[in-house]
Amino acid sequence: MSENSTPSPKEIADQLKKRVIGQTEALQEMSIALSKKLAGLSVGNLLMIGSSGTGKTTVMRAVEGYLAARPHLALRSTVVRMHANVLGEEAVKGHSGEAVLRRLLDRAREQLGPETGVETLLSQAQNGIVFVDEVDKIRSHISGEPHTTGIRAQEALLTLIENEAVPFTLPAWAGGKMLTVDSSGILFVCGGAFEGLYDSVFDRVTVGKDRGALKPVTTVEDGMVTEKLVFQLRDWLKSEDLFDYGMSPQFLSRFDAVVLLADLTVDELIRIFLETPDSGYQQARSFFESRGMHLVLSPDAVRRVATEAARENRLGARALKEVFRRVIRHFEFDPKPNGPDGSLLLDLQEVEEALRPG
Ligand SMILES: Nc1ncnc2c1ncn2[C@@H]1O[C@H](COP(=O)(O)OP(=O)(O)O)[C@@H](O)[C@H]1O
Ligand SMILES: [Mg+2]
């Protein structure tokens, strides 16, 4: 591809897939947004909602990694990633949206070099991408009480999103002057787990305001007729549920797309376990290699780890590490090969033994 052409959404997604397993819809939306952004077009902001450990932060990091590996693209759009909490703290101190712009400007300076003119740096910052992680932490109320940091942080973001005239004081290194900047070209991608949202929407459509909306489906299993409620958040989530959660209507209206990340399947967990570079499995392999040993897990052993992890659905893929620690701890403590050529072979039996309670 030539330096001047813009990668298509599909080309971008194919690269992001090397880091993110599953989550096809989120990768599609993200790739479309990024492709448009890199082409200099205007792009709607994106909100990603998904349970903890389903890959929200991983998607953001994959985009950062994608750009970092392609300097000619990275120069077209400066990226910063921040925790919504930090934004909340800054908002309370009164810096509001300025802190975000400052970060973009600093990052642009790192990218383009300190000798670059302020005008150039500003235009770079005004076309940046801002990832706001854990955006659910800036809800406007928590258990019925107003949450000031959250309210202020949402307001701070509102001053930036789609705003053509944001008052901004340049940092000292840039002269400290006050000016107005157009931040409407910044792409915001926010992500959060919104814990409790699933339950509150389920309640709304079963016993709450819209009681009876979710109808039981009749299934026949082993000759028995049973009625089941099949609930998927994506089928029922409405803007009001997010307002009730504590995201203000004004704030939400700034997002063109809300993407729900799916809970990971056992097969996806297996792929995350085997293929991602920082997985517990890869870390253990490196450890055994450093001791001159080769770790081999049978497919049944791997599936057993993933199945156990899938049971802890509040942790998502993070459960893989925790489960695998329990399995591998004992072998790492006193590494002894049990197979040919210094290999350590773990089969279903070893995993079962390690996971047995007590
Ligand atoms: N879809 C995924 N693809 C690849 N790795 C994932 C995925 N989801 C989670 N992980 C792994 O699980 C861990 C937690 O994922 P993370 O993206 O931080 O979750 P969260 O959705 O809570 O931000 C990371 O180590 C990451 O490598
Ligand atoms: Mg995260």
Coordinates of all heavy atoms in Angstrom, one line a residue, residues 205-245:
V205 N -37.8 -5.5 31.7 CA -38.6 -6.2 30.8 C -39.3 -7.4 31.3 O -40.1 -8.1 30.7 CB -37.9 -6.5 29.5 CG1 -37.4 -5.3 28.8 CG2 -36.7 -7.5 29.7
T206 N -39.0 -7.7 32.6 CA -39.6 -8.9 33.2 C -40.6 -8.5 34.3 O -41.8 -8.9 34.3 CB -38.6 -9.9 33.7 OG1 -37.7 -9.2 34.6 CG2 -37.9 -10.6 32.6
V207 N -40.0 -7.7 35.3 CA -40.9 -7.4 36.4 C -41.1 -5.9 36.6 O -41.9 -5.5 37.4 CB -40.3 -8.0 37.8 CG1 -40.3 -9.5 37.7 CG2 -38.9 -7.4 38.0
G208 N -40.4 -5.1 35.8 CA -40.4 -3.6 36.0 C -41.4 -3.0 35.1 O -42.5 -3.5 34.8
K209 N -41.1 -1.7 34.7 CA -41.9 -0.9 34.0 C -42.5 -1.6 32.7 O -43.7 -1.4 32.4 CB -41.1 0.3 33.5 CG -41.9 1.5 33.1 CD -41.0 2.8 33.1 CE -40.1 2.7 31.9 NZ -39.1 3.5 31.5
D210 N -41.7 -2.3 32.0 CA -42.2 -3.0 30.8 C -42.4 -4.5 31.1 O -42.1 -5.3 30.2 CB -41.2 -2.8 29.7 CG -41.0 -1.3 29.4 OD1 -41.9 -0.6 29.5 OD2 -39.9 -1.0 28.9
R211 N -42.9 -4.8 32.2 CA -43.2 -6.1 32.6 C -43.9 -6.9 31.6 O -44.9 -6.4 31.0 CB -43.9 -6.1 34.0 CG -45.0 -6.9 34.3 CD -45.5 -6.7 35.8 NE -45.0 -5.5 36.4 CZ -45.8 -4.4 36.6 NH1 -47.0 -4.4 36.2 NH2 -45.3 -3.3 37.1
G212 N -43.4 -8.1 31.3 CA -44.1 -8.9 30.3 C -43.6 -8.8 28.9 O -44.0 -9.5 28.0
A213 N -42.8 -7.8 28.7 CA -42.3 -7.5 27.4 C -41.4 -8.7 26.9 O -41.5 -9.1 25.7 CB -41.4 -6.3 27.3
L214 N -40.6 -9.2 27.8 CA -39.8 -10.4 27.5 C -40.7 -11.7 27.7 O -41.1 -12.0 28.8 CB -38.6 -10.5 28.3 CG -37.7 -11.7 28.1 CD1 -37.1 -11.7 26.7 CD2 -36.6 -11.8 29.1
K215 N -41.1 -12.3 26.6 CA -42.0 -13.4 26.7 C -41.2 -14.7 26.8 O -40.2 -14.9 26.1 CB -42.9 -13.5 25.5 CG -43.7 -12.3 25.2 CD -45.2 -12.5 25.2 CE -46.0 -11.3 25.0 NZ -45.6 -10.1 25.6
P216 N -41.6 -15.6 27.7 CA -40.9 -16.9 27.7 C -41.1 -17.7 26.4 O -42.2 -17.5 25.8 CB -41.6 -17.6 28.9 CG -42.7 -16.8 29.4 CD -42.8 -15.5 28.6
V217 N -40.1 -18.4 26.0 CA -40.3 -19.3 24.9 C -40.4 -20.7 25.3 O -39.8 -21.1 26.3 CB -39.0 -19.2 23.9 CG1 -39.1 -17.9 23.1 CG2 -37.7 -19.3 24.6
T218 N -41.3 -21.4 24.6 CA -41.5 -22.8 25.0 C -40.6 -23.7 24.3 O -40.4 -23.6 23.1 CB -43.0 -23.2 24.6 OG1 -43.9 -22.1 25.1 CG2 -43.4 -24.5 25.2
T219 N -39.9 -24.5 25.0 CA -39.0 -25.4 24.4 C -39.3 -26.9 24.8 O -39.8 -27.1 25.9 CB -37.5 -25.1 24.8 OG1 -37.4 -25.2 26.2 CG2 -37.0 -23.8 24.3
V220 N -38.9 -27.8 24.0 CA -39.1 -29.2 24.4 C -37.7 -29.8 24.5 O -36.9 -29.8 23.6 CB -39.9 -30.0 23.3 CG1 -40.2 -31.4 23.7 CG2 -41.2 -29.2 23.0
E221 N -37.4 -30.3 25.7 CA -36.1 -30.9 25.9 C -36.3 -32.2 26.5 O -37.0 -32.4 27.6 CB -35.3 -30.0 26.9 CG -34.3 -29.1 26.2 CD -33.7 -28.1 27.2 OE1 -33.1 -28.6 28.2 OE2 -33.7 -26.9 26.9
D222 N -35.8 -33.2 25.9 CA -36.0 -34.6 26.4 C -37.4 -34.9 26.7 O -37.8 -35.5 27.7 CB -35.2 -34.9 27.7 CG -33.7 -34.5 27.5 OD1 -33.2 -34.7 26.4 OD2 -33.1 -34.0 28.5
G223 N -38.3 -34.5 25.8 CA -39.7 -34.8 25.9 C -40.4 -33.9 27.0 O -41.6 -34.0 27.1
M224 N -39.7 -33.1 27.7 CA -40.3 -32.2 28.7 C -40.6 -30.8 28.0 O -39.7 -30.2 27.4 CB -39.4 -32.0 29.9 CG -39.1 -33.3 30.6 SD -40.1 -33.4 32.1 CE -39.4 -32.1 33.1
V225 N -41.8 -30.3 28.2 CA -42.1 -29.0 27.8 C -41.7 -28.0 28.9 O -42.2 -28.1 30.0 CB -43.6 -28.8 27.4 CG1 -43.8 -27.4 26.9 CG2 -43.9 -29.9 26.4
T226 N -40.8 -27.0 28.5 CA -40.5 -26.0 29.6 C -40.6 -24.6 29.0 O -40.5 -24.5 27.7 CB -39.0 -26.2 30.1 OG1 -38.2 -26.4 28.9 CG2 -38.9 -27.4 31.0
E227 N -40.8 -23.7 29.8 CA -40.8 -22.3 29.4 C -39.5 -21.6 29.9 O -39.1 -21.7 31.0 CB -42.0 -21.6 30.0 CG -43.3 -22.1 29.5 CD -44.4 -21.0 29.4 OE1 -44.5 -20.3 30.4 OE2 -45.0 -20.9 28.4
K228 N -38.9 -20.9 29.0 CA -37.6 -20.3 29.3 C -37.6 -18.8 28.9 O -38.2 -18.4 27.9 CB -36.5 -21.0 28.5 CG -35.6 -21.8 29.4 CD -34.3 -22.0 28.7 CE -34.1 -23.4 28.2 NZ -33.0 -23.8 27.4
L229 N -36.9 -18.0 29.7 CA -36.7 -16.6 29.3 C -35.3 -16.5 28.6 O -34.3 -16.8 29.2 CB -36.7 -15.7 30.5 CG -38.1 -15.4 31.1 CD1 -38.0 -14.6 32.4 CD2 -39.1 -14.8 30.1
V230 N -35.3 -16.1 27.3 CA -34.1 -15.9 26.7 C -33.8 -14.4 26.6 O -34.5 -13.7 25.8 CB -34.1 -16.6 25.3 CG1 -32.7 -16.4 24.6 CG2 -34.5 -18.1 25.4
F231 N -32.8 -14.0 27.3 CA -32.6 -12.5 27.4 C -31.2 -12.2 26.8 O -30.2 -12.7 27.2 CB -32.6 -12.1 28.8 CG -32.3 -10.6 29.0 CD1 -33.2 -9.6 28.6 CD2 -31.1 -10.2 29.5 CE1 -32.9 -8.3 28.8 CE2 -30.7 -8.9 29.6 CZ -31.7 -7.9 29.3
Q232 N -31.2 -11.2 25.9 CA -29.9 -10.7 25.3 C -30.0 -9.2 25.5 O -31.0 -8.6 25.0 CB -29.9 -11.0 23.8 CG -29.7 -12.4 23.5 CD -28.4 -12.7 22.9 OE1 -27.4 -12.0 23.2 NE2 -28.3 -13.6 22.0
L233 N -29.0 -8.6 26.1 CA -29.0 -7.2 26.4 C -29.3 -6.4 25.1 O -30.0 -5.4 25.0 CB -27.7 -6.7 27.0 CG -27.7 -5.3 27.5 CD1 -28.8 -4.9 28.4 CD2 -26.3 -4.9 28.0
R234 N -28.6 -6.9 24.0 CA -28.7 -6.1 22.7 C -30.1 -6.0 22.2 O -30.4 -5.1 21.4 CB -27.7 -6.7 21.7 CG -28.1 -8.0 21.1 CD -27.1 -8.5 20.1 NE -25.8 -8.6 20.6 CZ -24.7 -8.0 20.1 NH1 -24.8 -7.1 19.2 NH2 -23.5 -8.2 20.6
D235 N -31.0 -7.0 22.5 CA -32.3 -6.9 22.0 C -33.2 -5.9 22.7 O -34.2 -5.5 22.2 CB -33.0 -8.3 22.2 CG -32.4 -9.4 21.4 OD1 -31.7 -9.0 20.4 OD2 -32.5 -10.6 21.8
W236 N -32.8 -5.5 24.0 CA -33.7 -4.7 24.8 C -33.1 -3.4 25.2 O -33.8 -2.5 25.7 CB -34.1 -5.5 26.0 CG -34.8 -6.7 25.7 CD1 -34.3 -8.0 25.6 CD2 -36.2 -6.8 25.3 NE1 -35.3 -8.9 25.2 CE2 -36.5 -8.2 25.0 CE3 -37.2 -5.9 25.1 CZ2 -37.7 -8.6 24.6 CZ3 -38.5 -6.3 24.7 CH2 -38.7 -7.7 24.5
L237 N -31.8 -3.2 25.1 CA -31.2 -2.0 25.6 C -31.7 -0.7 24.9 O -31.8 -0.7 23.7 CB -29.7 -2.0 25.5 CG -28.9 -0.8 26.0 CD1 -29.0 -0.8 27.5 CD2 -27.4 -0.8 25.6
K238 N -32.2 0.3 25.7 CA -32.7 1.5 25.2 C -31.9 2.6 25.8 O -31.2 2.5 26.8 CB -34.1 1.7 25.5 CG -35.1 0.8 24.9 CD -36.5 1.4 24.9 CE -37.4 0.8 25.9 NZ -38.7 1.3 25.9
S239 N -31.9 3.8 25.1 CA -31.2 4.9 25.6 C -31.6 5.2 27.1 O -30.7 5.5 27.9 CB -31.5 6.2 24.8 OG -31.2 5.9 23.5
E240 N -32.9 5.1 27.4 CA -33.3 5.4 28.8 C -32.6 4.5 29.8 O -32.4 5.0 30.9 CB -34.8 5.1 28.9 CG -35.7 6.0 28.3 CD -36.6 5.3 27.2 OE1 -37.5 4.6 27.6 OE2 -36.2 5.4 26.1
D241 N -32.2 3.3 29.4 CA -31.5 2.5 30.4 C -30.2 3.1 30.8 O -29.7 3.0 31.9 CB -31.3 1.1 29.8 CG -32.6 0.3 29.6 OD1 -33.5 0.4 30.5 OD2 -32.8 -0.2 28.5
L242 N -29.6 3.7 29.8 CA -28.3 4.4 30.0 C -28.5 5.7 30.8 O -27.6 6.0 31.6 CB -27.5 4.6 28.7 CG -27.0 3.3 28.0 CD1 -26.6 3.5 26.6 CD2 -25.9 2.7 28.8
F243 N -29.6 6.4 30.5 CA -29.9 7.6 31.3 C -30.0 7.2 32.7 O -29.5 7.8 33.6 CB -31.2 8.3 30.9 CG -31.3 8.7 29.4 CD1 -32.5 8.9 28.8 CD2 -30.1 8.8 28.6 CE1 -32.6 9.2 27.5 CE2 -30.2 9.2 27.3 CZ -31.4 9.4 26.7
D244 N -30.9 6.1 32.9 CA -31.1 5.7 34.3 C -29.8 5.3 35.0 O -29.6 5.4 36.2 CB -32.1 4.5 34.3 CG -33.5 4.9 34.0 OD1 -33.7 6.1 34.0 OD2 -34.3 4.0 33.7
Y245 N -28.9 4.7 34.2 CA -27.6 4.3 34.8 C -26.8 5.5 35.2 O -25.9 5.4 36.1 CB -26.8 3.5 33.7 CG -25.6 2.8 34.3 CD1 -25.7 1.5 34.8 CD2 -24.4 3.4 34.4 CE1 -24.7 0.8 35.3 CE2 -23.3 2.7 34.9 CZ -23.5 1.5 35.4 OH -22.4 0.8 36.0

